[in-house]
Amino acid sequence: MAMTQSGLVADALTERTGHEVELVGVTTEGDVSKANLAQIGGTGVFVNALRQKVLDGEIDFAVHSLKDLPTAPAEGIALAAVPARDDPRDALCGDAKLADLPRGARIGTGSPRRMAQLRALRHDLEVVPIRGNADTRLRKVTSGEFDAIVLAYSGLTRIDRLDAVSEIFDPEQMLPAPGQGALAVECRADRADLLQILAALDDHASRTAVTAERALLAELEAGCSAPVGAYAALEERTLHLIGVVAGYDGERQVRLSVSGHPDLAERLGRDLAARMIAKGADQLMGERTS
């Protein structure tokens, strides 16, 4: 999927600027480890190796799934572009919708956020951690090891596997990860020439939305291994942001929303996080029970 995403960015950059792009594959710890993301460091395991190659000058820029980026700034690295975001929703893959799965059905996901929200939707399901790329996970459904799995709809679109989707979760059912569906293009902060070229890929509405989502995540001091969901959308001149922190057992959650001017995206995210903490969100993140 990483090469597919990078290829899409490369094609778009060539089309808009005329610059040819050579793709360079980089293997990261997150790609090869069989452990759960939370056990190998969570946020950053997919991006650190790429960032180092950018800093070393081995590659000019890197393409990431934006939801994998740590919220803290990386020294010497600039977020040069956030291309137009794809559908951020989660998708159930299997033979039936969530409501039609039998009691005790096994659902696989590598995300504590999805685990918590699935348990909130149906307490009778067995939600099980799963690793591997999308094709590997999908094979576990066809082999009967799992009744269903949950993946990002945008990723399934990029690898042309929408045939596996049985249901797309509305954000009212399951909030996506902050930044889900968006890509991040990073380069060295001192490459003014490259920053100007890559700016051709930047989409203002997408950057504004993910800025609010990531500000909420940062204020909660959480990473991709925490049960935090967020979704922001720009409608005319108003930015709407919804956030959730769910208990791992699915029994409790703090879910709030805020709206405001898009120029205040970061402040909106931080203010919403503060309100969620006041409602006990930090306690839910600290009470892992699975």
Side-chain angles (χ1 to χ4, degrees), residues 15 26 68 141 146 155 163 168 198 203 205 214 219 232 260 262 270 278 288-289:
E15 179 181 350
V26 177
D68 295 330
V141 177
F146 289 88
D163 59 293
I168 304 172
L198 294 174
D203 180 76
R214 286 169 56 77
E219 191 70 13
R270 293 189 179 278
R288 181 154 192 167
T289 58

Side-chain angles (χ1 to χ4, degrees), residues 7 12 29-30 37 64 74 128 131 149 175 183 186 202 209 221 260:
E29 183 182 4
L37 289 182
H64 313 281
V128 184
R131 286 300 314 275
I149 60 172
L175 277 177
L183 298 177
E186 292 188 327
D202 200 53
E221 297 183 346

Side-chain angles (χ1 to χ4, degrees), residues 89-102 105-109 114 118 121-122 125-127 137-138 141 146-154 156 161-170 173-174 180:
R89 293 176 296 174
D90 288 308
L92 186 71
C93 300
D95 294 329
K97 293 184 177 181
L98 187 70
D100 298 328
L101 288 172
R106 285 169 54 88
I107 299 185
T109 173
R114 290 173 179 148
L118 282 167
L121 290 170
R122 280 195 58 180
L125 298 175
E126 182 183 2
V127 186
R137 298 186 192 197
L138 289 170
V141 177
F146 289 88
D147 295 290
I149 60 172
V150 180
L151 295 169
Y153 184 81
S154 58
L156 291 163
R161 286 305 313 270
L162 295 184
D163 59 293
V165 175
S166 59
E167 182 177 4
I168 304 172
F169 292 111
D170 186 271
Q173 297 173 280
M174 183 180 294
Q180 185 162 304

Side-chain angles (χ1 to χ4, degrees), residues 25-254:
V26 177
T27 300
T28 72
E29 183 182 4
D31 296 317
V32 298
S33 176
K34 301 297 184 182
N36 293 333
L37 289 182
Q39 296 175 329
I40 58 176
T43 299
V45 298
F46 292 106
V47 305
N48 292 335
L50 286 165
R51 282 178 166 173
Q52 191 58 53
K53 289 188 177 295
V54 168
L55 291 172
D56 293 342
E58 295 183 33
I59 57 177
D60 291 305
F61 65 91
V63 179
H64 313 281
S65 292
L66 196 143
K67 67 180 179 63
D68 295 330
L69 289 188
T71 56
E75 186 175 356
I77 296 288
L79 179 56
V82 177
R85 187 183 201 175
D86 291 330
D87 192 324
R89 293 176 296 174
D90 288 308
L92 186 71
C93 300
D95 294 329
K97 293 184 177 181
L98 187 70
D100 298 328
L101 288 172
R103 291 182 60 85
R106 285 169 54 88
I107 299 185
T109 173
S111 162
R113 170 189 60 83
R114 290 173 179 148
M115 287 184 175
Q117 293 187 89
L118 282 167
R119 288 169 180 151
L121 290 170
R122 280 195 58 180
H123 297 291
D124 61 301
L125 298 175
E126 182 183 2
V127 186
V128 184
I130 188 173
R131 286 300 314 275
N133 62 32
D135 286 326
T136 298
R137 298 186 192 197
L138 289 170
R139 283 196 293 271
K140 292 179 182 292
V141 177
T142 56
S143 69
E145 184 176 347
F146 289 88
D147 295 290
I149 60 172
V150 180
L151 295 169
Y153 184 81
S154 58
L156 291 163
T157 300
R158 291 168 189 153
I159 64 172
D160 196 25
R161 286 305 313 270
L162 295 184
D163 59 293
V165 175
S166 59
E167 182 177 4
I168 304 172
F169 292 111
D170 186 271
E172 289 298 320
Q173 297 173 280
M174 183 180 294
L175 277 177
Q180 185 162 304
L183 298 177
V185 182
E186 292 188 327
C187 70
R188 283 177 52 152
D190 60 2
R191 288 289 305 274
D193 58 331
L194 193 52
L195 285 166
Q196 184 176 7
I197 293 170
L198 294 174
L201 297 171
D202 200 53
D203 180 76
H204 173 70
S206 298
R207 184 183 278 265
T208 298
V210 301
T211 295
E213 295 169 10
R214 286 169 56 77
L216 179 144
L217 188 65
E219 191 70 13
L220 290 171
E221 297 183 346
C224 68
S225 59
V228 178
Y231 175 60
L234 187 60
E235 297 179 5
E236 296 182 351
R237 294 297 296 169
T238 301
L239 183 66
H240 303 282
L241 172 65
I242 308 172
V244 67
V245 173
Y248 286 94
D249 57 8
E251 295 288 343
R252 301 153 298 154
Q253 63 177 242
V254 175

